[in-house]
Structures are given as structure tokens and as C-alpha cells.
Amino acid sequence: MRSKVNITEEKLSELKAAMEIHKKEPGPLMPTLHAAQKIFGCIPLPIQKIISNELDVSIARINGVVTFYGHFSVEPKGKNIVSVCLGTACYVKGSQGILDAFSHDLNVKVGDTTDDGMFTLEATRCIGACGLAPIFTVNEEVFANGSVQLVKKVVQKLKS
Ligand code: FES
């Protein structure tokens, strides 16, 4: 189960103000989606509908963009985002085992968020640091030469 998104009047006004600015510029959809992601922490369907009406872009297109780009999410993400690279260099050095270890130790499926909203676990593509494979990140921090042992240490630290 994931935490519910908090859609307040204040946040909606913030989104509308952002749309007013971006509507005057060419290609207003992407900057508007970035603003929405920042304001709400995700872009659920009700927010997509508001953007669709305001920018006159179909909901199908908006949903396609939101679900395609890893930066956007339809549901709120956890306080800590754990991402494991499954690119080729990382994969051949055992990143699937790292992903499985996180899934087990955090008790969450890949692509999901823990019930307490503390952790989101994601699989990513190559982040361009193949020489340090296997790689995983926790929020902004990059962990090189990952292993199941390192996962255990990191999870212990994150939970403490
Ligand atoms: S394949 Fe993982 S960083 Fe390139």
C-alpha cells in the first residue's frame, strides 16, 4: 500500500501559477509536469486532468509522458529512493542479486513503496558509471562495487 497524495488548494494554486507561466512559452508540457512532480511529489490522474484541460493536451499523451520518464511518478514516492542499475555492465556483475536483496531486506517489490512511505525501490538503466559496476543509489548518494553485504549495511544504516 502506498501513501495518498496530498492535493491541497494551496498546491493547486501553485500548479496553476506554474501553468500560467509555462503556457506563454513554447512546449509548456514538460516544464509543467516537472512543476507538478515537485509540488505534489507525483502526478496522479486528477492532476493530469487539470493539466490536460489547462494546456489542451490529451490525457493519454500526458499519462504516456508521466509513465515513460523515470523522473515522474503517478503515485507518491518514498522518503528514500533506492535505485539499482540493471544495465548490462551492472547486470553481469550481479546487480539482480542486489535488487533482490533490497527487495527482501526492505520488504518491498521493485517499483513499489513501503507501507510506511519510507522507501521506494526502483530498477534503473545504465547511469554511465559502468566502471564502478555494480552500482546502486540511495537518494543522491552513489554506491559503487555493490554487493549483498553492502546492501545489508546500507539498509541497517537507513533503518536506524
Ligand atoms: S550498466 Fe550500470 S552504470 Fe552502466
Side-chain angles (χ1 to χ4, degrees), residues 85-91 125-131 133-135:
C85 177
L86 288 187
T88 309
C90 288
Y91 190 83
R125 295 182 206 147
C126 177
I127 61 166
C130 310
I135 290 273

Side-chain angles (χ1 to χ4, degrees), residues 92-108:
V92 296
K93 288 198 167 180
S95 61
Q96 183 64 55
I98 290 170
L99 187 61
D100 293 343
F102 270 119
S103 179
H104 177 267
D105 291 2
L106 295 175
N107 193 23
V108 66

